[in-house]
Amino acid sequence: MKKLLLLMICNLLLQSTFAQERNETEKWVEKTINDLLENQNIGSDLSDLELELKEWIKNPQNLNYVGMEQLSRLPFLNQKQLTDILEHRKKHGAFLSIYELQAITSLDVEEAKLLAKFVYVEERKQSDYLNPTQYFGMGQHEILLQEARSSLLSGEEAKHAPYVGSLDHLSIRYRFAYKTKLYMGFGLEKDPGERWGKVGDFQTFHLFYKGSGLLKTIALGDFHVNFGSGLNVGTSMFNGKSALVFQTSYLQEGFKPSRSLNEVGFMRGIGIGLQKRNVSLSFWLSASPLSAKLSLDNLGDFSQISSIVLSGLHRTEAELLKRRTIYQENIGIHLSYTRKYYSLGCLYQKQEQVAQSHFGSNQNIKQVMNLGNNMHVGAYGSLLIKNIQTHVEISTQNNDAFAIQIKSIVPLHAKLDGLILYRNYTLNFENQFGNGWAASSSMGNEEGMYVAFLYKPKKSLLWSVYADVFGSKAASYQKIKAAKSSDYLILFNWLPSKTFSLESRIRVQETERNYADVNLPVTTLKPEHKKQFRIHVNYQIGLHWQYQFRMEWNNFERVNQLKSNGNLIYHDFAYKGSKNWHLRARICYFDVSDYTARIYMQESDLPYSFASQMMMNKGNYYYVLSSFKISKSADLHFKISYLSRNNNQDNSKLELYKEMEFKCQLRIKIRGE
């Protein structure tokens, strides 16, 4: 009776709060993607992650059946909130309404409203009684046709061999999805300068089924594999530091389809996942092509791999000679046991790189069957005790290299949470199919301690802080011996209303690098310093206009005490006049002295595309992005960008560089019954 009374009160209080427009959730997805992109390389494609988050919103999970593993993939929930949700369900029984979330004291109104986008309470299990052949008539089909072209208006073009194809970037993508149970699709693409041929320069295909019985998942074609924390196997996005200071694990584990146009970093083959009660068994077999430079061995055979090309570009005859010359093979098996408060898992993975001429030969078969070479064996475990969650994972490579990661999330107070992460990767540890948390984009030769805190004194205030102290164990790039590094971030978010938000951050980095003093006979190590300051304002002006402002300043001090500065200011304007037409524009000014003070800037782009600019020298950058809804099933997107900057050629000669880029995308959606 008390529970029903509480539910009625919460329902009356929150009825209007939960009835918000979908664009608030889309803004959250966009901000999450941008935060995760900040430490990524230019050109990182997170369309798989964007699709995953948006599909979760379109197909929310039942709050009365969802577990810790599923909820922990949402980065806006802390450990105490996750535990309180499950404890509330255990103590009071199944949720009767989504508004009952307000009864959980650790959730504020905004967090409960956002969580309501990802979960539901009503019984909607009719899809469980359909067979896979019926899904095609009830799912959604999507076709994306995209074209982009850059034009150099002034400035000396880079000297290169003639390109074999046009300067257009072309892609065709088809996707089918029925809820979160069945996915199918393909993609064809060519980069600027490449030939289109008959089916593009790059092709991708995926077929993915998620069942509810013994057969949990089956993946065919291109797919990703993520288990544990990524030390043993993890092919999704880079798993490192970002403005989401607690996001140190993948948003999804297990198999998932690869639906982006990334030409590297995925499995190509078959993956099968089985589950019986608390035990799951997964295994996969993959042979994905890579571009590489091959050299002749003593017998005149192309069996030596001298370098691997990860850019995916095949624009010249020299680049075409490297196209898909090797296969990156991978076989693996994963076994796990999961209970409510703990989970255990173990993995075996074997990697091989074989020249295309040897693929399928007796020599290749012998290498694949020799399970003791090029292998990774590891185990992991998670434990939840009184709101404290601890995760440990270890990995060994060929029984001589070693990696370990220990992470613990501790609720220190109702308004304060802490995280501590220790990692130790030996010098010779490397894993091309791994993606463990690290300060750099690759694992190995690193040991460090990462500590983060989230403090929320009020609903409108949030402090995010991290401190990372780490170092290399031996010589590495620009370091003649073991070197120390540190990285500190303080992030402040203020949301006084639904229409205004302010974010400011300070980041300080210090890294020891080589220093050659003319007065000393040997090279030594000295620290270099980098400081970053940013302020970002977001203001909703009425129902139709949104304004964003960012100011960023970088200061870099080299080991020889020479200093470089970088400054950037931009204004964003977004207009949503109706459901059929949207417009967004940016005006940006930057002044960056040299490469060391460079500033990375993310920007809005066409759907399921991501753009990032590295701002250097002095200049201006503008873009306009517009969307038109042609009909119920089709929309058209345009983007025009213009870059103008002064290139300093030799510290005396200035060259004016101007470039314009045009992008266009036609998206067609066909919904089933």
Side-chain angles (χ1 to χ4, degrees), residues 71-72 74-79 81-82 85 107 111 115 246:
L71 287 176
S72 61
L74 297 173
F76 59 86
L77 293 178
N78 59 42
Q79 189 60 41
Q81 292 169 332
L82 297 175
I85 293 171
L107 284 174
E111 291 165 337
L115 178 58
F246 268 36

Side-chain angles (χ1 to χ4, degrees), residues 542-601:
L543 296 176
H544 305 297
W545 286 93
Q546 181 187 7
Y547 169 71
Q548 294 185 47
F549 166 80
R550 175 175 294 185
M551 179 181 68
E552 188 161 339
W553 172 76
N554 276 357
N555 173 264
F556 186 85
E557 183 179 346
R558 301 181 180 87
V559 293
N560 57 6
Q561 296 184 341
L562 292 178
K563 294 183 179 181
S564 303
N565 294 310
N567 302 281
L568 177 144
I569 295 177
Y570 73 65
H571 304 269
D572 264 11
F573 304 90
Y575 176 75
K576 291 189 177 182
S578 66
K579 295 182 179 179
N580 299 326
W581 180 62
H582 298 158
L583 179 71
R584 174 169 289 189
R586 173 172 294 181
I587 301 172
C588 175
Y589 168 79
F590 56 94
D591 186 358
V592 182
S593 56
D594 56 28
Y595 178 77
T596 59
R598 64 194 181 276
I599 298 177
Y600 292 98
M601 178 183 69

Side-chain angles (χ1 to χ4, degrees), residues 64-105:
N64 289 321
Y65 293 95
V66 71
M68 177 67 74
E69 179 183 353
Q70 289 79 18
L71 287 176
S72 61
R73 296 170 190 161
L74 297 173
F76 59 86
L77 293 178
N78 59 42
Q79 189 60 41
K80 187 177 188 304
Q81 292 169 332
L82 297 175
T83 306
D84 287 348
I85 293 171
L86 298 180
E87 286 296 328
H88 179 90
R89 190 175 69 190
K90 178 182 178 182
K91 181 178 180 180
H92 300 287
F95 285 87
L96 301 180
S97 169
I98 198 67
Y99 304 114
E100 194 177 337
L101 288 171
Q102 182 62 15
I104 301 173
T105 56

Side-chain angles (χ1 to χ4, degrees), residues 66-319:
V66 71
M68 177 67 74
E69 179 183 353
Q70 289 79 18
L71 287 176
S72 61
R73 296 170 190 161
L74 297 173
F76 59 86
L77 293 178
N78 59 42
Q79 189 60 41
K80 187 177 188 304
Q81 292 169 332
L82 297 175
T83 306
D84 287 348
I85 293 171
L86 298 180
E87 286 296 328
H88 179 90
R89 190 175 69 190
K90 178 182 178 182
K91 181 178 180 180
H92 300 287
F95 285 87
L96 301 180
S97 169
I98 198 67
Y99 304 114
E100 194 177 337
L101 288 171
Q102 182 62 15
I104 301 173
T105 56
S106 59
L107 284 174
D108 62 30
V109 173
E110 294 300 322
E111 291 165 337
K113 179 184 65 175
L114 189 56
L115 178 58
K117 300 289 186 180
F118 294 87
V119 295
Y120 70 94
V121 171
E122 305 87 63
E123 289 291 333
R124 297 188 298 182
K125 305 183 79 173
Q126 67 272 18
S127 61
D128 294 339
Y129 300 98
L130 300 176
N131 61 61
T133 58
Q134 294 176 293
Y135 294 159
F136 288 97
M138 302 182 68
Q140 176 176 290
H141 304 264
E142 185 177 45
I143 300 173
L144 293 96
L145 308 176
Q146 186 167 320
E147 193 269 346
R149 186 181 179 93
S150 296
S151 299
L152 187 65
L153 303 179
S154 67
E156 182 182 356
E157 295 191 45
K159 297 180 180 180
H160 56 73
Y163 289 159
V164 297
S166 71
L167 295 179
D168 297 278
H169 180 272
L170 303 174
S171 66
I172 300 174
R173 284 179 278 183
Y174 163 76
R175 298 192 183 109
F176 168 82
Y178 175 73
K179 296 186 180 295
T180 58
K181 289 184 171 294
L182 182 65
Y183 304 96
M184 184 181 69
F186 68 85
L188 308 175
E189 183 218 30
K190 81 167 221 49
D191 293 306
E194 296 178 339
R195 294 193 187 104
W196 176 262
K198 294 182 179 180
V199 289
D201 179 78
F202 172 70
Q203 307 83 32
T204 179
F205 167 80
H206 67 269
L207 177 62
F208 186 86
Y209 170 72
K210 182 182 292 186
S212 56
L214 177 64
L215 181 61
K216 183 180 179 181
T217 53
I218 180 168
L220 296 173
D222 297 342
F223 59 94
H224 292 286
V225 184
N226 302 306
F227 289 110
S229 59
L231 287 187
N232 292 281
V233 60
T235 62
S236 289
M237 62 179 182
F238 167 55
N239 202 21
K241 285 178 288 191
S242 71
L244 303 175
V245 299
F246 268 36
Q247 189 54 51
T248 57
S249 59
Y250 293 108
L251 297 180
Q252 176 171 337
E253 294 189 346
F255 296 120
K256 68 175 184 179
S258 176
R259 295 175 284 180
S260 73
L261 294 176
N262 279 341
E263 299 191 28
V264 295
F266 57 84
M267 303 282 189
R268 175 167 289 182
I270 182 172
I272 297 176
L274 307 174
Q275 183 169 344
K276 185 70 172 179
R277 295 181 181 176
N278 300 320
V279 179
S280 64
L281 175 67
S282 304
F283 51 91
W284 61 92
L285 176 64
S286 168
S288 53
L290 280 180
S291 298
K293 182 179 180 181
L294 301 181
S295 58
L296 294 171
D297 61 9
N298 294 331
L299 299 178
D301 192 11
F302 287 101
S303 61
Q304 303 296 321
I305 302 172
S306 58
S307 63
I308 296 177
V309 181
L310 299 178
S311 65
L313 298 176
H314 312 111
R315 304 161 300 181
T316 64
E317 295 297 341
E319 291 176 342

Side-chain angles (χ1 to χ4, degrees), residues 123 213 301 324 394 398 400 408 421 488 502 598:
E123 289 291 333
D301 192 11
R324 298 182 183 179
I394 59 174
N398 298 330
D400 59 356
S408 185
L421 186 150
Y488 305 95
L502 182 145
R598 64 194 181 276

Side-chain angles (χ1 to χ4, degrees), residues 353-561:
Q353 292 177 349
V354 57
Q356 188 180 35
S357 58
H358 292 163
F359 183 72
S361 64
N362 291 334
Q363 179 181 353
N364 174 232
I365 297 298
K366 290 180 181 179
Q367 290 177 342
V368 174
M369 296 305 295
N370 185 358
L371 302 181
N373 288 339
N374 301 325
M375 66 174 185
H376 290 83
V377 179
Y380 65 87
S382 296
L383 179 64
L384 178 64
I385 301 178
K386 294 183 178 181
N387 296 344
I388 301 175
Q389 185 181 39
T390 302
H391 179 91
V392 180
E393 181 165 0
I394 59 174
S395 179
T396 61
Q397 179 184 359
N398 298 330
N399 297 319
D400 59 356
F402 176 81
I404 184 172
Q405 182 184 113
I406 304 173
K407 178 182 70 174
S408 185
I409 300 177
V410 183
L412 302 173
H413 185 269
K415 300 178 181 180
L416 177 65
D417 294 302
L419 178 146
I420 183 169
L421 186 150
Y422 170 77
R423 73 272 191 191
N424 190 342
Y425 311 142
T426 58
L427 174 63
N428 53 345
F429 182 85
E430 61 180 30
N431 188 351
Q432 296 174 352
F433 287 93
N435 224 345
W437 198 95
S440 59
S441 58
S442 61
M443 297 183 293
N445 192 24
E446 180 176 313
E447 181 179 8
M449 183 75 72
Y450 173 87
V451 180
F453 296 96
L454 284 177
Y455 177 54
K456 195 169 188 179
K458 297 181 180 180
K459 294 181 180 180
S460 60
L461 300 178
L462 175 64
W463 290 89
S464 303
V465 180
Y466 76 62
D468 189 23
V469 180
F470 58 98
S472 58
K473 297 186 172 185
S476 58
Y477 177 68
Q478 293 187 349
K479 301 171 184 177
I480 61 171
K481 60 181 179 179
K484 299 179 181 179
S485 301
S486 61
D487 185 2
Y488 305 95
L489 172 75
I490 300 176
L491 178 66
F492 172 72
N493 284 282
W494 182 42
L495 295 87
S497 68
K498 295 181 180 179
T499 60
F500 180 84
S501 66
L502 182 145
E503 175 188 302
S504 62
R505 69 173 64 179
I506 298 175
R507 186 179 183 185
V508 179
Q509 299 169 272
E510 181 179 294
T511 303
E512 289 185 331
R513 297 197 185 277
N514 292 340
Y515 174 68
D517 191 334
V518 294
N519 299 319
L520 296 176
V522 296
T523 300
T524 60
L525 292 178
K526 285 189 65 176
E528 63 180 20
H529 305 272
K530 184 176 182 180
K531 299 176 183 178
Q532 177 196 41
F533 172 77
R534 175 189 298 178
I535 182 169
H536 184 96
V537 175
N538 192 329
Y539 180 50
Q540 184 73 36
I541 308 173
L543 296 176
H544 305 297
W545 286 93
Q546 181 187 7
Y547 169 71
Q548 294 185 47
F549 166 80
R550 175 175 294 185
M551 179 181 68
E552 188 161 339
W553 172 76
N554 276 357
N555 173 264
F556 186 85
E557 183 179 346
R558 301 181 180 87
V559 293
N560 57 6
Q561 296 184 341

